[in-house]
Amino acid sequence: MTGIRLTAPAPGWAIDADVVVVGSGVAGLTTALRCAAAGLATVVVTKARLDDGSTRWAQGGIAAALGEGDTPEQHLADTLVAGAGLCDESAVRTLVTEGPDAVRRLIGTGAHFDTTDTGDIALTREGGHHRRRIAHAGGDATGAEISRALVEAVRSAALHTVENALVLDLLTDAEGRTAGVTLHVMGEGQHDGVGAVHAPAVVLATGGMGQVFSATTNPPVSTGDGVALALRAGAEVSDLEFVQFHPTVLFLGADSEGQQPLVSEAVRGEGAHLVDASGTRFMVGRHELAELAPRDIVAKAITRQMQLHGTEHMYLDARHFGAEMWEQRFPTILAACRAHGIDPITEPIPVAPAAHYASGGVRTDLRGRTTVPGLYACGEVACTGVHGANRLASNSLLEGLVFAERIAADIVEDRSRTTEASALVTKAAVPVTDRDTERDTDRPAPSPLLAPEVRTTIQRIMTRGAGVLRSAASLVTAADELEALHNSAAADAWAAGPKRAEPGVEAWEVTNLLLVSRVLVAAARQREETRGCHWREDRPERDDETWRCHLVVRLTPDRRLVLSRTESEAFPPVHPAGAPDCAAATTTHPTPEEP
């Protein structure tokens, strides 16, 4: 354990539970429903409303071998190719073999997918898939339908939920085991101010960290809170350098920042073409799947064409769909385009890559366990090894679904430990106050907070230095600028007066963004090759001899980032019941963050 935490008031209220799930997307709500069904007292904490997570923004669908002639082995093969040699095959095999039944159970929960005239689930294709295996709902509103069904199930089951709550830090007992979380409820929640949920099992399902970049498809709540919390708690994270930039995001202007409208890969799956300003297709001949190549390949091709032509975007041409298909198959995208003055029925859509999905995250095993006993992670916040260096389209919803069920099963199976640990919670999981810190010289001072206005600075640093195109020079510059912000915040924390940032949601979010940005840049500097969605201009080739491995990062009590390298593409055990590290299975290499 690092002992590091955010600067925040001591909790003024508390809830006791068997398990607390942080996040309300497909991963979080599926875990919560399974735990509650097994009789565990379950609390769901979510940063906005229950239906405001990343899941509802998913347009394309959920991938599984559900169609005639398709098999888990074929799904496995496509996933391994997309992952560019870094998928953990055991994790992928778990995903594709358990996926079809997990989707059927989701349907049993109440999710309605689009069907054919014969009543079968309608399936489409997306990038990297050699078969039609993407189930969708409402045409291009799959995530919204899944979210609706799960939220209704949670409300029907009368689960205890705390909405509009930002989780701050992990609580641990005297033995270093998970004992709950601290959280701050914003405005409309059930409680006011900072409080705590005491529970011997915590599941992080907090989504992604797209807000570290200026332009992203992620909602505003995606500020890397789960990864930052896990790092402060002493957990390991991995593969943060692999940020997937979605190739086709609606281009709203070079200065546009924040969440951008996504133009789903399913549009290309139904036959749309990528073209330049003259109408010439440029993906043909670059890859056997042309526009349906894996996302990293398409994003790079678009970026190269932009450089070649000196433009800020390319075009997606789907005029040949006609009005009826646009209105029935892609009503959400059609409405978004028209809201910005573009009619895809009569004109090509301007598109450019934008940050979309974090393939890496908090390192877990096949049961969702992290290197901190009692702490689990699921969905985009987790790194299970499924995605490798580049996520295969529409595997994310499936990953959240499959591994959520596995986490719930592990918590239920380990109920005896949970029961024993519950007896320790009220005695040991006492939040540390500032007064306690002053008396405890062994415990680090709280993390210095950044002023809210620094958020834009971080995003621009990351977009310039660690975006689609990276190089040693750009990453060094980004690292230096981020370190300067880190050091400035530390200096301001000791200063009296207006420079010192006050605790609050915006300051906590920006502090989390800085931490995950530092980790991402450190890993990207270390990985001197181009692989998947990590594109180094100065190292354009893939280097399997040196880099077919994962970079694992942890935060030390003195706030240094330490990187280690796994021996292969398979992750070592997390050892949740013993020493919470994998030092015996990894080789440590010095990084720029170490003295």
Side-chain angles (χ1 to χ4, degrees):
M1 307 302 295
T2 68
I4 301 171
R5 67 191 190 287
L6 290 171
T7 300
W13 51 270
I15 300 170
D16 290 329
D18 294 320
V19 57
V20 54
V21 177
V22 186
S24 59
V26 62
L29 295 188
T30 299
T31 304
L33 286 167
R34 297 292 185 273
C35 287
L40 297 180
T42 305
V43 174
V44 176
V45 175
T46 187
K47 195 172 177 181
R49 305 294 295 180
L50 273 182
D51 60 353
D52 273 347
S54 295
T55 291
R56 78 180 183 94
W57 296 100
Q59 295 175 344
I62 185 167
L66 298 165
E68 184 178 354
D70 197 6
T71 65
E73 285 297 323
Q74 294 176 66
H75 190 182
L76 173 81
D78 285 346
T79 301
L80 294 178
V81 169
L86 278 193
C87 295
D88 186 323
E89 186 168 340
S90 61
V92 180
R93 193 169 295 279
T94 296
L95 178 83
V96 300
T97 55
E98 297 181 11
D101 284 342
V103 172
R104 295 183 184 103
R105 285 189 288 272
L106 178 62
I107 293 171
T109 302
H112 301 293
F113 289 94
D114 296 338
T115 58
T116 65
D117 293 339
T118 60
D120 297 322
I121 296 175
L123 301 172
T124 189
R125 279 182 68 193
E126 290 186 357
H129 293 272
H130 282 78
R131 283 190 173 271
R132 300 178 74 89
R133 65 167 66 95
I134 316 299
H136 50 84
D140 58 357
T142 310
E145 170 57 19
I146 291 173
S147 181
R148 179 206 62 78
L150 292 173
V151 168
E152 284 189 9
V154 164
R155 288 176 174 155
S156 296
L159 265 66
H160 189 158
T161 61
V162 183
E163 297 179 283
N164 301 301
L166 172 63
V167 170
L168 303 177
D169 282 304
L170 191 73
L171 295 172
T172 55
D173 63 22
E175 297 178 351
R177 286 183 170 276
T178 293
V181 292
T182 55
L183 64 157
H184 174 80
V185 179
M186 302 170 276
E188 300 177 4
Q190 300 175 15
H191 306 276
D192 294 323
V194 174
V197 180
H198 293 155
V202 171
V203 182
L204 297 178
T206 54
M209 56 183 191
Q211 291 293 325
V212 301
F213 295 97
S214 296
T216 177
T217 62
N218 289 190
V221 295
S222 298
T223 51
D225 306 317
V227 171
L229 177 151
L231 281 164
R232 288 192 296 272
E236 295 178 347
V237 303
S238 185
D239 294 0
L240 246 62
E241 67 269 36
F242 297 116
V243 176
Q244 187 176 84
F245 285 76
H246 198 289
T248 53
V249 175
L250 183 61
F251 181 75
L252 301 180
D255 297 327
S256 183
E257 296 182 336
Q259 186 177 10
Q260 312 289 299
L262 175 67
V263 181
S264 170
E265 199 151 294
V267 178
R268 281 176 280 138
E270 296 293 350
H273 303 145
L274 283 166
V275 299
D276 60 23
S278 67
T280 303
R281 290 177 67 183
F282 55 85
M283 285 304 302
V284 176
R286 289 179 180 266
H287 190 276
E288 62 168 333
L289 295 177
E291 280 89 356
L292 288 179
R295 288 179 177 176
D296 63 309
I297 294 172
V298 180
K300 290 172 186 175
I302 291 174
T303 303
R304 287 194 181 102
Q305 289 296 115
M306 288 161 53
Q307 292 175 325
L308 179 65
H309 293 277
T311 60
E312 296 173 324
H313 62 82
M314 287 287 112
Y315 293 92
L316 187 64
D317 191 352
R319 290 174 290 181
H320 53 284
F321 284 5
E324 183 177 357
M325 181 174 179
W326 267 110
E327 290 164 359
Q328 294 184 3
R329 180 68 178 86
F330 300 111
T332 306
I333 298 170
L334 178 63
C337 288
R338 285 177 167 171
H340 292 283
I342 299 156
D343 189 347
I345 296 173
T346 60
E347 60 185 318
I349 306 167
V351 293
H356 182 59
Y357 189 87
S359 294
V362 185
R363 190 171 80 81
T364 74
D365 65 7
L366 297 186
R367 299 182 185 180
R369 299 177 296 186
T370 74
T371 51
V372 174
L375 178 65
Y376 297 79
C378 190
E380 191 172 355
V381 71
C383 181
T384 61
V386 160
H387 303 307
N390 183 49
R391 175 178 67 101
L392 181 66
S394 288
N395 268 357
S396 51
L397 290 175
L398 189 70
E399 182 195 32
L401 193 62
V402 167
F403 285 89
E405 294 186 340
R406 288 183 143 254
I407 287 173
D410 189 75
I411 293 173
V412 172
E413 288 171 9
D414 212 10
R415 199 167 178 178
S416 60
R417 175 184 63 78
T418 301
T419 302
E420 292 173 6
S422 294
L424 300 173
V425 168
T426 55
K427 296 179 181 179
V430 180
V432 179
T433 66
D434 290 339
R435 190 182 305 112
D436 294 327
T437 301
E438 292 169 2
R439 293 198 304 262
D440 185 359
T441 56
D442 293 330
R443 180 179 290 275
S447 288
L449 297 179
L450 276 75
E453 56 267 24
V454 177
R455 179 173 182 147
T456 301
T457 303
I458 294 172
Q459 291 170 331
R460 290 175 180 172
I461 290 171
M462 293 298 291
T463 299
R464 287 194 306 266
V468 178
L469 298 178
R470 301 168 179 175
S471 67
S474 75
L475 291 167
V476 166
T477 299
D480 289 346
E481 292 175 340
L482 293 173
E483 198 63 22
L485 292 176
H486 175 70
N487 293 335
S488 177
D492 292 344
W494 289 102
K499 282 191 173 183
R500 184 170 183 171
E502 293 299 320
V505 172
E506 292 181 336
W508 290 323
E509 284 185 333
V510 175
T511 302
N512 287 339
L513 283 173
L514 178 62
L515 178 54
V516 297
S517 295
R518 290 174 61 216
V519 175
L520 191 162
V521 170
R525 288 181 69 184
Q526 182 86 344
R527 184 174 289 280
E528 296 181 334
E529 65 161 353
T530 289
R531 182 186 297 270
C533 51
H534 171 63
W535 186 5
R536 287 279 298 260
E537 290 182 286
D538 56 326
R539 302 281 184 170
E541 302 301 323
R542 173 170 151 178
D543 180 1
D544 280 346
E545 183 176 348
T546 306
W547 291 109
R548 193 168 183 181
C549 62
H550 301 274
L551 291 174
V552 177
V553 185
R554 60 184 176 85
L555 186 66
T556 66
D558 59 356
R559 297 189 178 86
R560 288 182 304 121
L561 300 178
V562 177
L563 275 70
S564 57
R565 189 184 299 180
T566 63
E567 297 294 339
S568 72
E569 69 275 13
F571 278 117
V574 296
H575 303 302
D581 60 60
C582 61
T586 62
T587 303
T588 301
H589 299 263
T591 75
E593 279 59 44
E594 296 183 277

